[in-house]
């Protein structure tokens, strides 16, 4: 433990801070970031996170492409994004510094692990001279800490090997940051105890490293200011910090409980969707069956089998997997069985950018199947919205006997934020009725929503056959007649259109008409809201609406859009919603497209708004 | 064997399993016999009609579910084992069957097939092997012999066929059997055995496609030749075949050799005794590969049957155990975990 000594510490109160932890992919930065976020949530700040990690699990040490980062924005007021540019960068090595330097604020604080700034690491990162020594960091507030040495000193009595000891340095850095931002260590200490309960030496070492970091902050003369960020004024309620992937998982379990149907997940591991499989496989005592299939196709095929058997059946994947599920999705369309397909979008095409975010699967979801093959498409806007949209997707699939594609993306799937928990009794029931009456049974008979009856194996007298061949309406017999095929194609499309009656209207934030509406969809919500708020603060008049239902779109969409002179659609693709909107409503739209594997910064949208409305650019 | 038939219930007959759809296979197709033997056997497999599901892929064989008056699912090419797996895992109390062909199962569905076997999903896979693509009009299939001349291989195919029994054994299927469309009694017995087996059961049925590959199995079905070309596997019995039961199989090294029981040098006691339940895969592999050697008879019957826990059973058991330990989960448990905080 560092020697405690008296020093003058100024305490400064901030409203919002953006911190970025960065290091080698083996440095444990994701863990450090997650711990800092969880603790920050518990002390009551609003927060939003952006994990940004390479596709390689352990990229060669010290390389630029091996840098793993975790950004966290926390605040005493309501926030919507992980922050455009960090105020503080914790750089565990030269590569982490180099990669992130252009991202951080001009006067940002940089805490560096000086031990990692040796010749070898500097070379690997492509530095000719040590940036800590050549004034290239002028303007930044650089705090140099020999984190590795201090960690090793603190753990000199540990039975762990020197290599394992060095691995604890992320906890030292975390402890230091806890001190700096006045956060309690207890949540992390509890977590360590729980996580390493079978490895007492590791638990002990991590605990010591964390405390050593904290006390180092307290003792060192390098830190003369400590910061506080007061709890945010969030609406009353019980909260927990949640990532999009976990929220998706919970949404489906909740839908299973409310529909009284067992939940079945057929899935194949794929970044960044695998966490949904991990979470769901824990809920055995909720009757959840998770099937890790041999491939993406078996993932959805097994879900279709389970749906035929009467389960709430889902499959989870990312873009390349959705491509593989194409034919089977068509089978679910043809057999009119309820399934939910979750696509956690990532950069494409092909393997693309597995760990980076994008919104480029909208058109694949919409059109990526043979034949006229309409499905319902919904999209979640932020991590905590994933719960509601998974629940909603289940509800629609079951009500209309149809596949529903739920689009999220790598950013909201891995990002986390506080979530105000719904009261169990407030969640609506999802009524499901299996058909059991022999007299009235027609496999492709239809209710007022055009949904066919769900008659599951085990029901006496209702033995029937369905499949991928065209079906005669009502009887469900195989039928190739020209009139019937046209009718069925139209019915399947009409069924999706009928959902409009059950989905909420598109809401406009701001004036109902005017010069500019910013129309977003899915995970860009936070960045758009922040851009709108800032634009308004600069005196610009701009309205905003966000689509969560992409197929069908809400009934009032056209009316909303036509009340504005211009519509701006920012999306992380080359203009996919723009295409749909132009085609559907015959209006022109302005586009703002970003394909960098990263979410929008609010400033990028704000600048575009300014440009359109003739305001001045932000910076 | 598990049975869920109420004693008092009316006994079902083959007719009860006939659906009201016209059967549309080519006249003379071996598929008719398979359908008839299934319909004859099913009243006795111990399941109510409504608890039986036939799942299929694409191909002539995959029209099978339409003709059975049970629940049926005509899937997409190759995916029947995956669809059936989802259904069985979700509903372990059902009797789930897959009707498939050599193209459907060995080619496009190969991956699903081997993983179904590996996981020991309790489904029954009946593969109609006609060694040709019928529904797409006559291309060579993954079980066609090398050198096969078809529309897509006018100069003869240059690749090697799969040996389905060997593939199933290699994928650790717990039940592997073979029968022939022209052996109705034998086929019924194999279907019954598969029905009784708990775990993945694979039956390969040699099926004549009289349109595109007529006579592929003639030596095995022709009265004149069949006795010398087919050997029927019977558990714990020495391996005897031939018109006058005058031939037998012995093992030399790891190779099967045909011996004449009348040559004065060999007796029944020297012959290989069939052991279906042998845990070691060696015997069953030797049997599966007998078809590689010219002059060796083709075995029909059960190559292997072993008992091991099923995947679907394992899933159900885990759910039961965890639920007993933690109690049935409620919405409150789901949402209100220990890491929450209050804002007031
Ligand atoms: S094409 Fe061959 S396999 Fe298909 S139905 Fe006709 S005879 Fe049978």
């Amino acid at each position: 433990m560092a020697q405690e000594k008296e020093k003058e510490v100024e305490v400064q109160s901030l409203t919002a801070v953006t911190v970025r932890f960065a290091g080698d992919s083996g440095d444990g930065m994701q863990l450090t970031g997650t711990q800092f976020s969880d603790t920050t949530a518990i002390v009551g700040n609003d927060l939003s996170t952006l994990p940004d990690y390479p596709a390689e699990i352990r990229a060669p040490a010290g390389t630029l492409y091996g840098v793993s980062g975790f950004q966290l924005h926390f605040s005493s007021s309501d926030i919507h994004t992980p922050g455009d540019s960090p105020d503080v960068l914790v750089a565990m090595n030269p590569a982490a510094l180099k990669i992130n330097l252009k991202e951080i604020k001009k006067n940002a604080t940089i805490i560096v692990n000086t031990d990692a700034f040796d010749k070898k690491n500097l070379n690997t990162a492509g530095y000719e001279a040590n940036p800590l020594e050549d004034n290239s960091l002028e303007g930044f507030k650089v705090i140099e800490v020999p984190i590795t040495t201090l960690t090793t000193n603190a753990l000199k009595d540990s039975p762990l090997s020197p290599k394992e000891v060095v691995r604890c340095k992320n906890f030292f850095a975390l402890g230091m940051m806890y001190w700096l931002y006045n956060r309690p260590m207890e949540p992390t200490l509890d977590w360590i105890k729980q996580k390493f309960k079978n490895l007492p030496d590791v638990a002990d070492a991590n605990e010591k490293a964390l405390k050593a970091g904290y006390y180092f902050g307290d003792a060192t003369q390098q830190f003369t200011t400590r910061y506080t960020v007061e709890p945010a004024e969030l609406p009353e309620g019980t909260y927990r910090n949640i990532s999009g992937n976990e929220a998706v998982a919970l949404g489906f379990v909740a839908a299973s409980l409310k529909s009284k149907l067992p939940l079945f997940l057929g899935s194949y591991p794929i970044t960044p969707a695998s966490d949904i499989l991990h979470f769901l496989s824990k809920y055995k005592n909720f009757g959840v069956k998770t099937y890790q299939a041999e491939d993406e196709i078996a993932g959805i095929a097994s879900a279709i089998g389970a749906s035929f058997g009467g389960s709430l059946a889902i499959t989870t994947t990312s873009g390349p997997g959705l491509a593989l599920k194409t034919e089977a999705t068509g089978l679910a369309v043809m057999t009119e069985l309820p399934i939910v397909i979750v696509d956690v979008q990532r950069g494409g095409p092909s393997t693309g950018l597995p760990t980076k975010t994008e919104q480029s699967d909208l058109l694949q979801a919409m059109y990526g199947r043979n034949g006229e093959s309409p499905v319902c498409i919904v999209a979640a806007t932020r991590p905590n919205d994933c719960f509601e949209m998974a629940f909603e997707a289940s509800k629609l699939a079951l009500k209309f006997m149809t596949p529903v594609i739920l689009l999220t993306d790598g950013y909201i799937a891995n990002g986390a934020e506080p979530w105000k928990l719904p009261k169990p009794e407030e969640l609506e029931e999802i009524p499901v009725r299996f058909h059991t009456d022999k007299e009235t049974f027609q496999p492709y008979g239809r209710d007022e929503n055009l949904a066919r009856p769900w008659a599951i194996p085990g029901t006496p007298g209702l033995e029937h056959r369905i499949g991928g061949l065209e079906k005669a309406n009502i009887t469900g017999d195989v039928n190739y007649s020209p009139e019937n095929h046209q009718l069925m194609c139209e019915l399947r499309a009409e069924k999706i259109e009928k959902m409009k009656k059950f989905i909420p209207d598109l809401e406009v934030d701001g004036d109902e008409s005017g010069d500019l509406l910013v129309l977003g969809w899915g995970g860009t919500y936070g960045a758009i809201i922040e851009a709108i708020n800032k634009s308004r603060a600069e005196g610009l008049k701009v309205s905003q609406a966000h689509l969560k239902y992409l197929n069908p779109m809400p009934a009032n969409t056209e009316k909303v859009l036509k009340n504005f002179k211009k519509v701006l659609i920012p999306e992380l693709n080359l203009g996919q919603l723009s295409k749909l909107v132009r085609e559907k409503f015959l209006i022109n739209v302005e586009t703002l497209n970003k394909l960098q594997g990263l979410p929008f910064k609010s400033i990028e949208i704000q600048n575009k708004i300014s440009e359109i409305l003739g305001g001045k650019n932000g910076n | 064997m598990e049975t869920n038939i109420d004693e008092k219930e009316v006994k079902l007959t083959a007719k009860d399993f006939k659906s009201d759809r016209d059967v549309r296979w080519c006249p003379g197709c071996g598929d008719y016999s398979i359908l008839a033997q299934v319909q004859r056997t099913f009243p006795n497999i111990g399941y109510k009609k409504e608890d039986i599901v036939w799942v299929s892929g694409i191909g002539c064989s995959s029209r099978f579910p339409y003709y059975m008056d049970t629940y049926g699912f005509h899937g997409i090419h190759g995916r029947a084992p995956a669809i059936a797996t989802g259904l069985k895992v979700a509903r372990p109390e059902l009797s789930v069957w897959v009707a498939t062909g050599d193209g459907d199962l060995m080619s496009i569905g190969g991956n699903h097939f081997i993983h179904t076997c590996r996981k020991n999903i309790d489904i029954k896979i009946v593969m109609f092997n006609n060694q040709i693509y019928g529904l797409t009009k006559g291309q060579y299939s993954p079980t066609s012999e090398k050198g096969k001349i078809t529309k897509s291989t006018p100069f003869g195919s240059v690749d090697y066929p799969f040996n389905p029994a060997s593939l199933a054994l290699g994928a650790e299927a717990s039940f592997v059997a073979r029968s022939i469309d022209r052996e109705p009694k034998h086929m019924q017995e194999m279907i019954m055995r598969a029905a009784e087996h708990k775990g993945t059961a694979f039956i390969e049925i040699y099926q004549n496609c009289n349109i595109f590959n007529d006579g592929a199995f003639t030596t095995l079905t022709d009265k004149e030749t069949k006795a010398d070309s087919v050997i029927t596997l019977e558990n714990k019995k020495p391996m005897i075949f031939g018109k006058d039961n005058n031939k037998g199989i012995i093992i030399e090294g790891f190779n099967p050799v045909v011996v004449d029981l009348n040559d004065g040098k060999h007796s029944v006691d020297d012959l290989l005794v069939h052991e279906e339940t042998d845990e070691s895969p060696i015997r069953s592999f030797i049997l599966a590969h007998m078809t590689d050697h010219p002059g060796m008879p083709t075995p029909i019957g059960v190559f292997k049957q072993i008992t091991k826990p099923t995947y679907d059973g394992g899933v159900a058991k885990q759910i039961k155990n965890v639920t007993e330990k933690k109690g049935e989960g409620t919405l409150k448990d789901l949402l209100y975990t220990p890491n929450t905080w209050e804002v007031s």
Side-chain angles (χ1 to χ4, degrees), chain A residues 325-345:
Chain A
K325 294 180 197 300
T326 294
E327 188 194 14
T329 307
L331 178 65
V333 170
M334 190 60 114
T335 51
E336 303 192 32
L337 281 171
I339 56 165
V340 181
I341 303 159
V342 183
D343 174 8
V344 184
Q345 298 168 95

Side-chain angles (χ1 to χ4, degrees), chain B residues 25-26 29-31 60 130 134-135 207-212:
Chain B
W25 288 309
C26 308
C29 175
D31 291 358
C60 294
N130 54 16
L135 198 64
Q207 169 246 324
N208 191 38
C209 167
N210 52 313
I211 304 296
F212 296 109

Side-chain angles (χ1 to χ4, degrees), chain B residues 73-118:
Chain B
F73 197 105
H74 181 201
I76 44 177
H77 207 7
R79 317 304 171 200
I83 297 170
T85 292
L87 177 61
K88 181 70 188 181
V89 174
R91 300 280 308 277
E93 75 280 15
L94 299 174
S95 173
V96 180
W97 294 72
V98 169
T100 179
D102 43 309
D104 194 48
L105 191 71
M106 301 275 109
S107 197
I108 190 166
N111 199 34
H112 307 306
F113 172 59
I114 56 175
H115 287 280
T116 302
C117 295
R118 171 178 72 79

Side-chain angles (χ1 to χ4, degrees), chain A residues 31-219:
Chain A
L31 174 63
T32 311
T34 310
Q35 282 301 314
F36 197 92
S37 310
D38 288 350
T39 301
T40 293
I42 289 169
V43 301
N45 295 132
D46 196 6
L47 68 91
S48 170
T49 71
L50 173 65
D52 181 21
Y53 51 92
E56 294 75 19
I57 302 301
R58 292 276 187 277
T63 55
L64 293 174
Y65 60 87
V67 173
S68 171
F70 189 103
Q71 187 167 316
L72 163 74
H73 183 195
F74 58 104
S75 167
S76 57
S77 62
D78 193 17
I79 53 168
H80 305 282
T81 72
D84 282 0
S85 322
D87 304 295
V88 185
L89 170 69
V90 179
M92 299 299 280
N93 69 8
L97 177 67
K98 192 166 193 189
I99 287 275
N100 289 294
L101 209 51
K102 56 183 184 299
E103 297 283 328
I104 61 179
K105 290 216 176 93
K106 283 188 190 117
N107 56 352
T109 300
I110 305 175
I111 301 173
V112 289
N113 176 16
T114 48
D115 289 326
F117 281 67
D118 58 14
K119 216 168 149 28
K120 182 166 163 278
N121 279 337
L122 288 165
N123 271 340
T124 314
Y127 274 120
E128 274 164 22
N130 188 342
L132 303 178
E133 290 162 2
D134 68 358
N135 294 333
S136 62
L137 300 178
E138 227 172 60
F140 298 110
K141 185 170 179 237
V142 181
I143 300 174
E144 299 185 15
V145 184
I147 294 176
T148 315
T149 310
L150 291 171
T151 308
T152 316
N153 289 347
L155 300 182
K156 58 180 185 299
D157 299 330
S158 167
L160 298 184
S161 72
K163 224 173 134 185
E164 288 170 312
V165 162
V166 168
R167 221 180 276 155
C168 299
K169 64 182 181 298
N170 61 330
F171 280 98
F172 186 94
L174 181 62
M176 209 161 59
M177 293 298 283
Y178 278 167
W179 181 84
L180 199 54
Y181 288 96
N182 247 310
R183 328 258 100 178
M185 285 189 281
E186 283 67 31
T188 298
L189 291 173
D190 290 346
W191 179 88
I192 291 173
K193 229 178 254 142
Q194 182 59 29
K195 176 83 184 174
F196 301 108
K197 59 173 181 270
N198 299 326
L199 298 165
D201 291 340
V202 176
D204 192 50
N206 284 330
E207 183 183 327
K208 281 207 175 100
L210 182 77
K211 288 183 175 168
Y214 192 92
Y215 297 132
F216 172 79
D218 199 21

